Amino acid sequence: IGEACQVNDNCVILTPNLVAYCDQSRCVCPPYFHANDNGTDCLPSSDLGGPCNSDDDCITMNAQCKDMCTCKMGYVANVAKTDCLIAADKLHAPCDEDKQCTEFLPKTTCDPIRKRCNCTVGWHEVNGACFLSSRLHEPCSRKEQCLIDSRNITRVECYEGFCICVDQYEMVNRTDCIDTQRTLPDTSGTSMIWRINTALLCTIALLFALKY
């Protein structure tokens, strides 16, 4: 198969009662068959989900035979069952369909615009995984679920089944935890300069009054 020919009789394959033919001066397999690796025979072609006896029977790239043609490990079938797409192994990996994300990353979706795997609506990312989002004073089972605007997980904890701010932090509008021990900027230097300038102006004014 694939070699030069002039007539159909030039094309010889191993399988009896199966006829290869000459097309545009090259030996080709009949419809729904494909050549084996060394071109000595024509094998039944199977798409994804079709029956097979070996990997060679599966014509879809990155497919393998397990009694039927399926995608290899690390790949998933597209919606149309015509191709094997690489499965994402981390958030923000490139994608074309949701299944590429959900194969190994629960609660994810493929952003239709950015074509990247992101957490689905109502879930948020923490350390490369997606967690159900819970605001302050909402139910939780672990601290990673607690979502605050600053996205600083060290400021929250899941205490007795609810998201709260940890000690030293104070809840603001049920959306964030603010450090209550923050000190205001030291303005003593500025005040001292202001007092010196004021005294200097008073002295100048007094000298001017005495002179005139």
Side-chain angles (χ1 to χ4, degrees):
I1 300 300
E3 293 183 349
C5 61
Q6 293 182 338
V7 295
N8 290 345
D9 289 343
N10 296 146
C11 303
V12 179
I13 56 176
L14 297 177
T15 301
N17 302 321
L18 184 65
V19 178
Y21 60 97
C22 187
D23 182 42
Q24 297 182 357
S25 300
R26 293 289 174 182
C27 290
V28 297
C29 291
Y32 307 109
F33 286 82
H34 63 280
N36 61 0
D37 289 339
N38 55 22
T40 59
D41 206 358
C42 291
L43 307 174
S45 298
S46 287
D47 294 320
L48 290 176
C52 59
N53 294 312
S54 69
D55 290 348
D56 290 337
D57 297 343
C58 304
I59 59 174
T60 304
M61 186 174 294
N62 297 313
Q64 62 184 353
C65 180
K66 290 187 174 180
D67 294 329
M68 65 174 59
C69 292
T70 61
C71 293
K72 294 179 179 179
M73 178 64 68
Y75 292 83
V76 293
N78 64 350
V79 173
K81 304 292 185 183
T82 58
D83 196 9
C84 290
L85 306 175
I86 190 167
D89 59 357
K90 60 183 178 181
L91 287 173
H92 312 300
C95 59
D96 291 304
E97 297 186 3
D98 288 341
K99 196 173 181 182
Q100 289 177 264
C101 305
T102 58
E103 181 72 7
F104 299 125
L105 304 170
K107 304 302 179 182
T108 56
T109 185
C110 183
D111 188 308
I113 298 176
R114 296 181 179 179
K115 296 295 183 181
R116 299 283 172 173
C117 292
N118 294 326
C119 295
T120 191
V121 176
W123 296 67
H124 64 278
E125 178 184 354
V126 178
N127 297 328
C130 295
F131 293 89
L132 180 65
S133 300
S134 294
R135 284 294 189 173
L136 293 172
H137 288 190
E138 291 183 351
C140 60
S141 58
R142 54 189 301 174
K143 68 180 296 183
E144 286 83 1
Q145 291 179 241
C146 301
L147 175 64
I148 56 177
D149 290 348
S150 62
R151 296 296 183 106
N152 190 337
I153 196 173
T154 64
R155 298 183 179 185
V156 293
E157 64 177 333
C158 184
Y159 180 73
E160 295 185 348
F162 290 91
C163 292
I164 64 171
C165 297
V166 299
D167 293 341
Q168 179 184 336
Y169 291 92
E170 181 179 340
M171 182 178 68
V172 177
N173 298 327
R174 295 185 64 178
T175 60
D176 212 346
C177 297
I178 303 300
D179 189 352
T180 57
Q181 296 184 5
R182 288 185 304 176
T183 56
L184 295 174
D186 183 9
T187 59
S188 58
T190 303
S191 299
M192 180 62 71
I193 294 173
W194 183 83
R195 288 196 294 269
I196 292 174
N197 288 339
T198 301
L200 182 59
L201 289 173
C202 290
T203 301
I204 293 173
L206 179 59
L207 291 174
F208 183 82
L210 292 175
K211 183 176 181 180
Y212 296 97

